[in-house]
Amino acid sequence: MTKCKRCRERAEVQLRSHNTAFCRPCFIMFFERQVERAISRNQMLTRDDRILVAVSGGKDSLALWHVLAAQGYQTTGFHLSLGIGDYSAQSRAATEAFASARGLPLIVEDLETAEEDITIPTVVGLTRRQPCAACGKIKRHSFDRAAYEHGFNVLATGHNLDDEAARLMGNVLRWQCTQLAKQSPVLRPTHPKFATKIRPLYLRSEYETAVYAFFQGIPYVVDECPNSTGATQLTYKELLNRLEVQMPGTKQAFVKDFHRLAQPAFSTTADTPPNDCTECGMPSYGSICSFCSLVREVRIKKERTRASA
Ligand code: AMP
Ligand code: ZN
């Protein structure tokens, strides 16, 4: 029988990357302490911050919201319903159930009832863009705008170690220096309309967040987004998992040491601060932001389809 490293009771979780094992209560304590440590080491939050937590209904963002709320931070959830059939309906339901069970405030936006028809299936069908790229663009814009319009100074997302390692691998393989400069667990605002962006779970593995959500009895959507099959990000994740089996701790070291040793070398290559988008007023690197240019493209394609019908 494997014993818990802290209390010597029977262990329920083995963390090979940390060469340790925990019983249920000790794992919960370990996980929460690690998140708090990431927050304090990177000076992510104070008790005065008004935090908008982007919650997808998956294990990571629900676990994050759970930890932040339990630790007494001022949090409001934000859920964007993407219009991806059953998957979106389940995601929204899981998020709403979590919020109402705890009496936590939640803002929901639905792309199906929004002014512009930019649900993910519509955008992908009309523009032939990669679903994950289009979706990421729409989500980033919605999170930024919601934080700004509702007066939140911090935006928290549930990106975990596996997400960070996969993103890092993608950025390194193509030497995306500007992206590497911006890959940080805390991004201070470069424009008055931006909130500080934080990723408190950046060193917690997908396995750890799943175990934590399970131990805390949080019902979450287990299914992956139906659009993500074949996504490059998943290929990187599979590759990293194979490395992890052979060499436990690889993901941790890759991400942690990037921030500690390599990231400072890239931060000088950060691009110039954004100005205001002439369409929506949100920060933008061109005269119109990439979200508004996507909306424009969808409108044009829709008109063309209508004209040729
Ligand atoms: P993903 O982009 O799906 O890897 O998700 C990364 C993080 O973005 C999640 O941990 C959430 O914090 C946030 N997120 C993803 N999808 C949504 C959504 N539909 N609504 C709100 N937040 C989301
Ligand atoms: Zn815009």
Side-chain angles (χ1 to χ4, degrees):
M1 180 183 90
T2 313
K3 287 185 176 168
C4 171
K5 281 276 161 64
R6 279 190 74 252
C7 74
R8 317 304 300 161
E9 286 291 320
R10 190 178 68 84
E12 273 192 72
V13 202
Q14 257 188 303
L15 300 179
R16 286 185 68 215
S17 55
H18 293 265
N19 193 23
T20 192
F22 294 113
C23 70
R24 197 173 281 221
C26 290
F27 173 78
I28 290 175
M29 195 184 292
F30 161 82
F31 185 91
E32 291 175 354
R33 279 199 184 151
Q34 292 292 324
V35 176
E36 189 51 52
R37 196 171 290 170
I39 291 171
S40 61
R41 284 221 177 117
N42 295 285
Q43 298 174 313
M44 287 183 186
L45 290 175
T46 69
R47 305 276 157 190
D48 296 327
D49 286 320
R50 296 195 63 234
I51 310 158
L52 190 65
V53 187
V55 204
S56 63
K59 59 194 180 324
D60 306 305
S61 46
L62 288 176
L64 173 64
W65 198 7
H66 187 93
V67 173
L68 294 179
Q71 291 182 349
Y73 290 106
Q74 302 175 51
T75 59
T76 295
F78 176 78
H79 179 74
L80 183 68
S81 196
L82 303 161
I84 312 177
D86 273 359
Y87 172 74
S88 287
Q90 285 172 19
S91 304
R92 180 180 182 154
T95 308
E96 286 177 338
F98 178 93
S100 70
R102 290 160 182 79
L104 291 167
L106 172 68
I107 300 167
V108 176
E109 277 183 22
D110 192 338
L111 292 179
E112 286 200 314
T113 53
E115 215 175 294
E116 290 287 345
D117 179 13
I118 47 160
T119 61
I120 306 305
T122 305
V123 171
V124 171
L126 285 171
T127 67
R128 315 231 174 281
R129 291 196 189 208
Q130 284 288 323
C132 296
C135 185
K137 199 177 284 302
I138 292 168
K139 282 194 280 199
R140 274 191 300 278
H141 179 84
S142 305
F143 300 168
D144 288 340
R145 199 177 24 75
Y148 171 65
E149 285 177 357
H150 296 278
F152 293 92
N153 67 321
V154 177
L155 173 67
T157 52
H159 293 94
N160 59 36
L161 177 65
D162 297 63
D163 298 324
E164 292 301 303
R167 179 174 165 210
L168 181 57
M169 180 172 249
N171 285 339
V172 165
L173 287 176
R174 296 188 185 258
W175 293 115
Q176 304 272 12
C177 294
T178 315
Q179 293 305 315
L180 286 162
K182 286 195 216 169
Q183 181 163 353
S184 167
V186 49
L187 267 184
R188 309 283 168 202
T190 52
H191 186 286
K193 287 182 183 167
F194 273 149
T196 297
K197 291 173 190 168
I198 63 167
R199 300 177 169 206
L201 303 184
Y202 79 113
L203 293 178
R204 309 281 44 88
S205 70
E206 198 174 298
Y207 174 69
E208 285 175 57
T209 63
V211 171
Y212 182 80
F214 174 70
F215 282 175
Q216 292 290 24
I218 300 170
Y220 61 84
V221 176
V222 178
D223 294 347
E224 291 283 339
C225 171
N227 285 337
S228 70
T229 39
T232 330
Q233 221 47 7
L234 287 185
T235 309
Y236 294 146
K237 283 187 180 175
E238 281 163 20
L239 242 144
L240 285 157
N241 283 337
R242 277 166 55 192
L243 288 172
E244 188 72 27
V245 170
Q246 296 287 319
M247 299 174 282
T250 300
K251 281 185 248 180
Q252 269 274 334
F254 186 42
V255 171
K256 212 171 173 177
D257 291 342
F258 164 68
H259 292 302
R260 200 166 60 88
L261 304 170
Q263 215 263 350
F266 293 98
S267 43
T268 50
T269 59
D271 47 10
T272 47
N275 41 1
D276 292 2
C277 170
T278 51
E279 292 267 325
C280 71
M282 286 304 287
S284 167
Y285 293 94
S287 68
I288 74 164
C289 73
S290 57
F291 171 79
C292 289
S293 89
L294 173 69
V295 171
R296 223 180 239 190
E297 191 185 334
V298 170
R299 260 188 226 147
I300 293 169
K301 294 269 163 69
K302 219 181 248 175
E303 273 160 29
R304 265 189 218 154
T305 322
R306 220 176 281 141
S308 65

